[in-house]
Amino acid sequence: MAQRIVPFIGYEDASAAIEWLERAYGFTENREARYEEEGTITHAELELGGATIYLSTPPEYASPRRLRETSDLARRAHDNPWVVDGLFVEVDDVDAHHRRAAAAGATILREPEEPGYGYRVYTAEDPEGHRWMFGQRL
């Protein structure tokens, strides 16, 4: 079945995010799908393992990291190692993926473990504070 839900993620600096997501998490950008206005990415598409995400830099966007710096409510909502608002991505080798992400500077919130629901998982944050959980089916 084709992918029917495509996450759309905002970034303060979509260009830097694309470079980082490629290096740390292994995404590949479809450059033909990129749209820019006055040097700002308004739409980009990245692929990993046959699945796609969209991202952009919306006007006056504030990242999760910046919101936590200015809002006690946002800080409290993220005062845990879980993915509350974020993405789950299935990968073939979660331990190798974890090593790659850590080497690229991802903030590792939870080391690889088997929490008992059929996946080995780890949780990380990208530089703008978006939370990602990566898992390998057991």
Side-chain angles (χ1 to χ4, degrees):
M1 176 184 291
Q3 181 176 335
R4 299 177 82 174
I5 297 173
V6 179
F8 200 115
I9 311 166
Y11 283 92
E12 292 178 16
D13 185 344
S15 181
I18 290 167
E19 291 176 18
W20 193 89
L21 292 167
E22 288 177 328
R23 186 175 66 255
Y25 293 161
F27 281 94
T28 303
E29 182 184 6
N30 173 0
R31 289 292 301 225
E32 294 177 6
R34 183 188 280 200
Y35 291 91
E36 295 185 32
E37 290 180 17
E38 299 177 16
T40 299
I41 296 174
T42 57
H43 179 83
E45 298 181 10
L46 280 69
E47 184 270 333
L48 179 67
T52 301
I53 62 171
Y54 297 163
L55 57 91
S56 70
T57 298
E60 300 183 38
Y61 176 77
S63 70
R65 177 156 301 187
R66 183 179 302 200
L67 291 175
R68 288 193 307 260
E69 291 171 355
T70 61
S71 166
D72 189 51
L73 182 61
R75 265 191 306 283
R76 286 194 318 264
H78 288 88
D79 189 19
N80 62 73
W82 301 100
V83 175
V84 177
D85 279 331
L87 299 113
F88 176 84
V89 181
E90 188 171 333
V91 295
D92 293 328
D93 183 340
V94 76
D95 292 296
H97 194 276
H98 168 264
R99 287 189 297 274
R100 176 183 184 151
T107 301
I108 305 299
L109 301 173
R110 189 165 47 134
E111 296 291 332
E113 64 181 4
E114 296 174 19
Y117 48 79
Y119 283 87
R120 180 166 173 77
V121 300
Y122 81 94
T123 306
E125 268 188 5
D126 65 31
E128 290 200 19
H130 295 283
R131 291 199 171 179
W132 300 75
M133 180 185 292
F134 295 92
Q136 176 183 345
R137 191 178 298 272
L138 298 175

